[in-house]
C-alpha cells in the first residue's frame, strides 16, 4: 500500500481538510474502492484478519512540496513536481512491518511482493 501510498492524487489529500469529504470517504476512495476496482479486495483495501495489513498514517497538518528527488523510486520525474500540498504520510506499515517512520525508509531489496491482478474485476 505504500504504493497505494501514496496512491491517490494530491487533490484527494486536500478534500478532507477542506470539508469536501470525510476522512472515512478518503479511505474508501483511496484504499477500499481502489482495491475493489483492481479486483484485489479484500486482500488489499481492508484491515482484517487475512488481509495484508498495509496501513499508512497521514498527518493532514503537515505541509510539504512534492518532488521526485525525495521519492524512493527509480523514476526521476513526478507530474506533481513542485506542488505544495497539505498532508504527509508519517508512518507506513507493509504486511504488518514498519517500513517508513520518522522520514526513514527501512526495507530490504526483495522484500516486496508482486500482486497478480485477477481477471474479470467488477468494472470489466
Amino acid at each position: 500500500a505504500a504504493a497505494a501510498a501514496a496512491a491517490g492524487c494530491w487533490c484527494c489529500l486536500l478534500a478532507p481538510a477542506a470539508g469536501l469529504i470525510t476522512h472515512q470517504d478518503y479511505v474508501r476512495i483511496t484504499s477500499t474502492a481502489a482495491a475493489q476496482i483492481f479486483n484485489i479486495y479484500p486482500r488489499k483495501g481492508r484491515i482484517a484478519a487475512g488481509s495484508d495489513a498495509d496501513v499508512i498514517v497521514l498527518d493532514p497538518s503537515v505541509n510539504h512540496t512534492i518532488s521526485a528527488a525525495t521519492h524512493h523510486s527509480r523514476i526521476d520525474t513526478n507530474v506533481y513536481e513542485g506542488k505544495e500540498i497539505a498532508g504527509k504520510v508519517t508512518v507506513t506499515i507493509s504486511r504488518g512491518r514498519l517500513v517508513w517512520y520518522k522520514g526513514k525508509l527501512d526495507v530490504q531489496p526483495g522484500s516486496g511482493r508482486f500482486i497478480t491482478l485477477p481477471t474479470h474485476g467488477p468494472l470489466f
Side-chain angles (χ1 to χ4, degrees), residues 5-119:
C9 64
W10 62 269
C11 56
C12 289
L13 292 173
L14 300 176
L20 300 174
I21 62 173
T22 66
H23 289 92
Q24 292 83 358
D25 284 339
Y26 174 80
V27 170
R28 181 183 50 77
I29 292 165
T30 62
S31 292
T32 306
Q36 289 168 332
I37 289 167
F38 288 106
N39 204 18
I40 53 175
Y41 181 87
R43 181 175 184 180
K44 300 287 185 183
R46 181 177 181 185
I47 300 174
S51 295
D52 278 351
D54 295 342
V55 178
I56 66 160
V57 175
L58 177 74
D59 185 344
S61 68
V62 175
N63 295 323
H64 75 284
T65 303
I66 295 175
S67 173
T70 60
H71 291 170
H72 298 277
S73 176
R74 290 184 180 166
I75 192 165
D76 61 356
T77 60
N78 188 307
V79 295
Y80 299 111
E81 186 73 35
K83 179 73 179 168
E84 292 186 29
I85 64 169
K88 187 170 185 174
V89 174
T90 57
V91 175
T92 301
I93 300 169
S94 177
R95 293 185 358 236
R97 186 172 175 278
L98 187 64
V99 296
W100 178 260
Y101 182 65
K102 295 187 177 181
K104 301 286 184 196
L105 182 64
D106 182 20
V107 294
Q108 302 302 319
S111 64
R113 186 170 56 189
F114 180 78
I115 304 294
T116 302
L117 299 179
T119 59

